[in-house]
Amino acid sequence: MGSAGTNVMPVFIDDFASRAGLSGTGAGLVGAVQLTATAVVTLLFAARAARTGRVAMARLGLVLTAFAAAWVAVADDPVMLLLTNVLLGAAIGLVYAAATAALAAVENSDRAASVAVAGTVAVGALMIMVVPVANEQWDGAGFLVLAVCCLPAWFLVGRLPDSPVAVVTEQQDGRPSAVLLLGTAVLWTITQGTWAYASVLGREYTGLDTTTVSVVLAVSSVVALAGAVAGTPAARRFGRLRSMVVFIVVEAVAMAVVVISGEPVLFIAAAVVWQACQLAVLVQMVAAAAVLDRQGGGSRR
């Protein structure tokens, strides 16, 4: 649920454009505002997520997400759409902060990252297919789907580690370098920004219709789970830095093909490779963050 905004953004942007009469740029702005709100709230609550009470924090975020998603669903003008997406992004940020902190608190962070990414991709792929169908029945209904998903999530987050781990090794200082943080920010800005327009690119440059593009994106996300599976063993065999560099380079090439190719077959193949490499990098980044800080956020000192 914390990743719902980023993973399902391609079809959300289509909904913004059709419902409020926005241009591609205007719809992208609404999406960017939502994602920015998620990022800011995640950062602001990272220290709070490092302490006891993550389950309550995640559940509060889910309640707010359901409320905000329902409000976005009925917004019918650009200003209201923008404001409601600020609230939605902030609510998702609470969920994301709590959940990612909990991932860092488990004993086997690599395995936890792989399982979490796999679950996220499966739910995201399902939503990419369901949301456009719901929107065809009624503009904005896709956000009601998002709101409904908060209900099972409310029960599931009860199993999250609610407290920081008791023992922390002295060798870990919990402070990643500024270069690492900046590089991570740039990488995900580029990849998620392009992913948000994947549906538009598929329609305008390959001639695929909306339904076909949604299926392609959903299938590519599921098939790309191979990347999540391959990420951890690749890091163990070749080293985390070396394997991440290879995955990022291949991902960049695949993204370029998605953007410039007008052939449906190339678009589909490149989308799968892109998502596979992105998931491999994501698993390694989550695991690396967990190694740096077993409390799930904040400094241990």
Side-chain angles (χ1 to χ4, degrees):
M1 291 304 301
S3 300
T6 55
N7 291 343
V8 195
M9 189 55 71
V11 291
F12 282 164
I13 284 183
D14 280 343
D15 176 56
F16 297 153
S18 63
R19 180 152 46 111
L22 297 173
S23 63
T25 302
L29 175 62
V30 175
V33 165
Q34 182 198 123
L35 297 179
T36 301
T38 299
V40 170
V41 170
T42 299
L43 290 173
L44 290 177
F45 283 85
R48 172 62 187 87
R51 303 195 296 270
T52 301
R54 295 182 186 128
V55 171
M57 181 178 174
R59 283 177 168 169
L60 173 62
L62 288 168
V63 170
L64 293 175
T65 297
F67 171 75
W71 199 1
V72 172
V74 299
D76 57 1
D77 65 84
V79 175
M80 184 59 68
L81 198 60
L82 192 69
L83 294 177
T84 52
N85 271 278
V86 171
L87 178 59
L88 177 59
I92 291 175
L94 277 178
V95 179
Y96 197 69
T100 50
L103 280 178
V106 299
E107 183 176 350
N108 189 336
S109 57
D110 285 281
R111 179 178 180 275
S114 297
V115 171
V117 168
T120 298
V121 168
V123 174
L126 181 61
M127 290 187 67
I128 285 176
M129 295 183 66
V130 172
V131 167
V133 174
N135 286 335
E136 287 179 1
Q137 305 303 316
W138 179 63
D139 287 342
F143 284 94
L144 295 180
V145 174
L146 178 62
V148 170
C149 288
C150 292
L151 180 59
W154 193 90
F155 292 100
L156 290 172
V157 296
R159 302 295 299 274
L160 291 177
D162 200 43
S163 304
V165 293
V167 179
V168 180
T169 58
E170 294 181 357
Q171 289 82 1
Q172 298 168 341
D173 61 14
R175 293 180 181 274
S177 70
V179 174
L180 173 62
L181 292 176
L182 179 61
T184 301
V186 171
L187 173 65
W188 291 103
T189 297
I190 295 171
T191 55
Q192 290 303 143
T194 308
W195 174 248
Y197 278 96
S199 180
V200 176
L201 293 171
R203 288 197 321 275
E204 294 188 358
Y205 292 100
T206 66
L208 298 173
D209 59 53
T210 301
T211 302
T212 304
V213 171
S214 297
V215 172
V216 167
L217 296 181
V219 171
S220 69
S221 297
V222 174
V223 175
L225 281 173
V229 175
T232 298
R236 291 174 179 169
R237 181 175 179 82
F238 303 107
R240 184 168 280 130
L241 177 60
R242 186 179 301 174
S243 62
M244 284 179 67
V245 168
V246 172
F247 281 125
I248 290 172
V249 170
V250 176
E251 179 184 358
V253 174
M255 285 176 59
V257 174
V258 167
V259 172
I260 66 178
S261 174
E263 295 293 329
V265 175
L266 281 178
F267 177 85
I268 295 170
V272 172
V273 174
W274 170 17
Q275 291 302 294
C277 291
Q278 181 166 318
L279 291 183
V281 173
L282 176 60
V283 167
Q284 294 189 35
M285 282 186 168
V286 172
V291 169
L292 284 169
D293 189 352
R294 289 291 180 185
Q295 295 187 69
S299 172
R300 284 181 292 278
R301 296 180 180 179

